[in-house]
Amino acid sequence: MAASIDTTNSDNNEETTLARLENLSLTKQVVLDEINPETLPPDLKKEGSDWSAIFSPKVKRVLDVNLVHTLIHKSVVCCVRFSADGKFLATGCNRIAQIFDTKTGAKTCILNDDSASLSGDLYIRSVCFSPDGKLLATGAEDKQIRIWDIAKKRIRRVFEGHQQEIYSLDFSKDGHLIVSGSGDRTARIWDIENGAQKVLEHNEPEGVDAGVTTVAISPDGRLVAAGSLDAVVRIWDVQTGFLVERLRGHSDTVYSVAFTPDGKGIVSGSLDNTLKQWDISALLRNPARNEPLPPASTPSGVGPGVGPVVAANGTARNKEGGERGSMNTLNFTGHKDYVLSVAVSHDGQWVVSGSKDRGVQFWEQRTAQVQLMLKGHKNSVISVDLSPAGGVLATGSGDMQARIWSYTTI
């Protein structure tokens, strides 16, 4: 009997079931940006002097939020990042990185490379503290990664090698490595002590625009994830430098990626206005992870993130998900414009996103249900970060402000 089973129909039935489940979850999503706050009961809205929050009527309210500090800058705030102990917040804007005391909001440090060319703008696109909090890495439009000694306010080391501007940086948890992503279509791993670099190639045809917009290193330091202009999330093995997975499903540039605390999931935010969560457990178990993925080519007429995808050996692969078993498990829909930044809380409970729609949304990480939306910035929310200490959110915006918010369970 088993031999007569039509596996094609079985696969189709499974796909149909998955599609129905996905559609069911989408019908439950509520777009908070479309709700008139005046129609909500008092317990589902909150107003500050220049900010507001509305809470989803579809789920039980479990959070309260407050604005703690507004940090005025002289230019667009491109990035915000907490120190590992949550005591400090670093921001990057035009020419300077600044460090603030999270509790008091006081500015404790200004880092400015006086030797940099004075012609034109020089935006700091990414900042990242070393785990011990003694160093700050900055990535800028001049293709350089600067490693600052915070106490001395001096540059300890400069890493050069990228051919275009640097968009994203991340430190490994042990502090030995930095990963960087650049418009030059590469991610790179740098040894913090000797400056040795490993180039992570995307292994795509020449015509594929795979400029790297965002990078993250896994909690155990074994994997690097990167989002690209071609709507794909790629994963490399740190030790070998091999490309080991491609995650397809977004229909536009992936602008932000973050690992879940257990290292088994990735959350991505895209210019297609959505976030996706990916389960990479199958990749972690797959012995083939020790081998590089074969090159892939997208047939003409097929857009970013959409399939089928054809490998060099001619095999067709699923249009959504990974090539080594990784799955798109959740879709977060509700933003009205580009999703520019995502962060996952260190207890794994919350996903936070910032958008060109000027809103910040809190989502339940397990279900992708939206809990609340914050409004207050007067321009795009370019960067968000959640404090490792818990209960604190930072946002950076095109309105030349960074803000520090508190959130608590009620």
Side-chain angles (χ1 to χ4, degrees), residues 22-299:
E22 184 175 305
N23 289 335
L24 183 62
S25 72
L26 290 176
T27 60
K28 291 180 182 176
Q29 296 282 10
V30 56
V31 180
L32 295 184
D33 219 6
E34 294 178 350
I35 293 177
N36 180 355
E38 293 180 6
T39 66
L40 290 173
D43 63 321
L44 291 182
K45 56 189 174 184
K46 185 167 186 173
E47 283 201 34
S49 58
D50 65 347
W51 64 275
S52 63
I54 62 172
F55 300 84
S56 173
K58 295 282 187 182
V59 296
K60 181 185 176 184
R61 179 181 168 184
V62 295
L63 287 181
D64 190 29
V65 289
N66 281 291
L67 176 63
V68 181
H69 298 296
T70 298
L71 311 172
I72 307 297
H73 290 64
K74 293 181 179 177
S75 64
V76 169
V77 180
C78 295
C79 48
V80 293
R81 200 73 167 266
F82 285 103
S83 58
D85 59 10
K87 292 180 179 178
F88 296 98
L89 178 74
T91 66
C93 53
N94 193 14
R95 299 200 165 272
I96 60 173
Q98 300 176 79
I99 299 174
F100 299 85
D101 183 295
T102 306
K103 270 194 176 169
T104 67
K107 191 183 298 182
T108 62
C109 185
I110 299 175
L111 303 174
N112 183 14
D113 184 357
D114 295 327
S115 67
S117 168
L118 294 175
S119 63
D121 293 331
L122 182 60
Y123 278 95
I124 309 297
R125 296 283 190 175
S126 186
V127 291
C128 190
F129 285 95
S130 60
D132 62 9
K134 294 179 179 178
L135 306 175
L136 187 76
T138 62
E141 292 180 324
D142 64 358
K143 312 168 194 173
Q144 293 187 347
I145 301 166
R146 296 169 173 84
I147 310 298
W148 295 84
D149 182 313
I150 295 171
K152 295 179 180 176
K153 299 181 185 176
R154 288 182 189 162
I155 296 172
R156 176 185 282 193
R157 188 179 285 277
V158 176
F159 295 152
E160 295 182 299
H162 278 298
Q163 303 302 305
Q164 291 188 34
E165 59 191 72
I166 293 154
Y167 289 111
S168 185
L169 296 171
D170 200 15
F171 255 104
S172 62
K173 289 288 188 292
D174 62 10
H176 293 155
L177 303 174
I178 289 178
V179 60
S180 58
S182 165
D184 65 8
R185 311 201 315 169
T186 69
R188 298 178 188 228
I189 300 170
W190 309 81
D191 185 298
I192 193 68
E193 290 304 323
N194 62 27
Q197 65 171 299
K198 185 182 291 183
V199 180
L200 305 177
E201 303 282 359
H202 57 68
N203 204 20
E204 304 291 349
E206 192 57 40
V208 175
D209 190 358
V212 177
T213 55
T214 172
V215 293
I217 192 162
S218 62
D220 64 6
R222 292 163 58 197
L223 299 175
V224 167
S228 298
L229 295 174
D230 65 351
V232 177
V233 177
R234 291 177 177 81
I235 303 174
W236 289 268
D237 183 280
V238 168
Q239 189 174 1
T240 63
F242 291 157
L243 176 68
V244 295
E245 183 66 294
R246 298 181 188 91
L247 306 176
R248 297 181 185 267
H250 282 296
S251 59
D252 206 336
T253 297
V254 177
Y255 225 69
S256 186
V257 293
F259 278 92
T260 55
D262 62 6
K264 296 177 182 177
I266 292 172
V267 176
S268 56
S270 168
L271 302 194
D272 65 12
N273 303 356
T274 74
L275 296 79
K276 290 181 180 290
Q277 184 160 302
W278 311 86
D279 181 348
I280 62 167
S281 303
L283 170 66
L284 298 175
R285 295 190 303 264
N286 193 333
R289 209 191 75 186
N290 297 321
E291 300 296 328
L293 276 181
S297 57
T298 305

